[in-house]
Amino acid sequence: MISPTFLVVLFLVAFVAAADFYKVLDVDRSASERDIRAAYKRLSKKFHPDKNKAPDAEEKFVEIARAYEVLSDQEKRQIYDRHGEEGLKAHEGGQHQPNPFDVFSSFFGGHHQQQTRRGPSSLTEFEVSLADIYQGASIDFMIKKRILCDHCRGSGAASDGDIHTCTGCGGSGVKVVKQQIFPGMFAQSQVTCNECNGQGKVVKKQCPHCHGNKVVDHTAHYTLEVTRGMPEGHEVIFEGEADESPDWEAGDVILRVRSKKEKGGWRRKETSLYWKQTIGVDEALLGFERNITHLDGRNLQLVRKGVTQPGFVQVIKGEGMPVFGRPDVKGDLFVEYNVILPVELSLETRRKLTEAFQQPSSTHDEL
């Protein structure tokens, strides 16, 4: 049922200053038909009054429907691009504009209001570099899926006139079958109509684009926003972006984000970062200053005074992974030192080491 508020919105929209239809759908003026379709799908679901209870949701829903109705029609789009909305109104001659809910229902194959079945969601393990998790990043990716045919909107028919009520079941989708139990005694049961497969309608001429399949293959482009410090296994959900079908509401595309497994280098455990640093014997004994490149590209200085034992772990506060949701707060960095011994020693080096490490001989006389 259309609310009084919605009727007021319809009245006001006719008189407010015209909005840029491309901005309404958040697409570029060179956007393809698929781009416009994808934008409408996303925004119409987001602002549908049955789902979004924000005060301005109905007004935005109306704007989105009008923008899509114009930009999805090649002739209207050309007129709008050349002459703006005033030129478009002159072309339409004051004719009645479609109800936004009719546009929505038509777009989703006429099933959205009644359907309760939800299609399967897809879950994908998505690996990103540890540097991207440390700094945050926008990563573009593609998914192959099936979408409702642009031409028939999921009906499978060449045109609306090619869809007819099934004569086998009279449009009910079921047939009544009589079955004899005993002589002179029959039982009636309902079975799914075999002529229309329970749809109640039959297609006389198939859609030439999808060949009656109702859906077509499509490669969709998305952007994953990696937030700084995103936890391992964090799931990012793209609502309603899984395979489409006229028989169900599309499920979700779910990305489970994990850091790439890389040999050596940086490792992560929650908000802590780990780094293995190799040093020589001289550095282990005498101390050193050395720079390493952090995940964000800056130099981080490691300083050790005196002796560093093999396997020693140095803790550097505040140089770990950003805390998810609190990017200004970071964990700690743990640097483990590995000491490399020389493969062989020269005679001169051996002599010097012997002199340095040899204990002084006893100076006490024997009794």
Side-chain angles (χ1 to χ4, degrees), residues 79-80 82-93:
I79 294 172
Y80 175 75
R82 293 174 182 173
H83 308 291
E85 191 166 6
E86 290 302 318
L88 184 64
K89 288 179 180 179
H91 167 74
E92 293 173 332

Side-chain angles (χ1 to χ4, degrees), residues 16-245:
V16 296
D20 185 327
F21 290 156
Y22 291 98
K23 288 184 178 179
V24 170
L25 293 182
D26 192 23
V27 295
D28 190 78
R29 297 189 73 86
S30 61
S32 66
E33 290 183 12
R34 289 193 185 278
D35 293 334
I36 292 170
R37 183 179 182 278
Y40 175 75
K41 176 184 176 182
R42 172 174 55 84
L43 294 172
S44 63
K45 284 185 175 182
K46 179 179 179 181
F47 291 103
H48 194 290
D50 289 347
K51 181 178 180 181
N52 193 323
K53 301 304 179 183
D56 61 344
E58 290 186 355
E59 180 179 350
K60 289 185 177 180
F61 183 73
V62 173
E63 288 183 344
I64 291 163
R66 173 59 174 164
Y68 174 73
E69 186 261 331
V70 172
L71 299 184
S72 63
D73 184 298
Q74 187 174 2
E75 182 182 8
K76 289 184 178 181
R77 182 178 180 181
Q78 289 178 352
I79 294 172
Y80 175 75
D81 288 344
R82 293 174 182 173
H83 308 291
E85 191 166 6
E86 290 302 318
L88 184 64
K89 288 179 180 179
H91 167 74
E92 293 173 332
Q95 66 185 28
H96 178 69
Q97 295 179 8
N99 186 306
F101 289 99
D102 291 341
V103 175
F104 185 81
S105 179
S106 175
F107 181 90
F108 288 98
H111 294 266
H112 193 272
Q113 297 299 322
Q114 295 80 26
Q115 68 188 9
T116 56
R117 184 182 172 196
R118 186 171 174 82
S121 295
S122 66
L123 175 63
T124 303
E125 298 282 341
F126 198 96
E127 290 191 340
V128 302
S129 70
L130 200 56
D132 283 339
I133 298 178
Y134 184 85
Q135 300 178 93
S138 297
I139 301 175
D140 295 329
F141 65 98
M142 297 182 294
I143 290 180
K144 291 184 178 180
K145 64 176 186 177
R146 298 179 74 79
I147 63 172
L148 293 179
C149 174
D150 285 336
H151 182 76
C152 67
R153 299 297 186 200
S155 71
S159 66
D160 292 342
D162 293 308
I163 304 175
H164 301 276
T165 301
C166 176
T167 56
C169 63
S172 65
V174 295
K175 287 183 177 181
V176 177
V177 177
K178 287 185 178 181
Q179 186 176 14
Q180 183 174 348
I181 303 176
F182 299 107
M185 183 178 294
F186 295 86
Q188 289 186 343
S189 61
Q190 285 188 342
V191 297
T192 300
C193 177
N194 60 343
E195 296 181 41
C196 65
N197 295 319
Q199 298 298 312
K201 296 184 181 297
V202 293
V203 175
K204 295 298 183 181
K205 183 179 180 182
Q206 291 184 344
C207 171
H209 292 262
C210 65
H211 306 291
N213 294 320
K214 304 180 182 181
V215 293
V216 294
D217 292 328
H218 175 61
T219 300
H221 297 255
Y222 301 94
T223 300
L224 169 65
E225 298 295 341
V226 180
T227 307
R228 296 182 65 194
M230 184 175 282
E232 291 288 330
H234 182 77
E235 293 184 353
V236 179
I237 301 175
F238 293 82
E239 185 179 350
E241 292 297 333
D243 286 338
E244 297 178 4
S245 168

Side-chain angles (χ1 to χ4, degrees), residues 316-349:
I316 304 177
K317 296 290 185 179
E319 287 294 350
M321 183 64 67
V323 176
F324 186 58
R326 300 175 61 196
D328 294 334
V329 180
K330 295 180 183 177
D332 299 330
L333 168 62
F334 296 83
V335 181
E336 180 182 352
Y337 289 99
N338 179 35
V339 179
I340 295 295
L341 300 176
V343 177
E344 58 183 30
L345 296 175
S346 66
L347 292 176
E348 180 64 18
T349 301

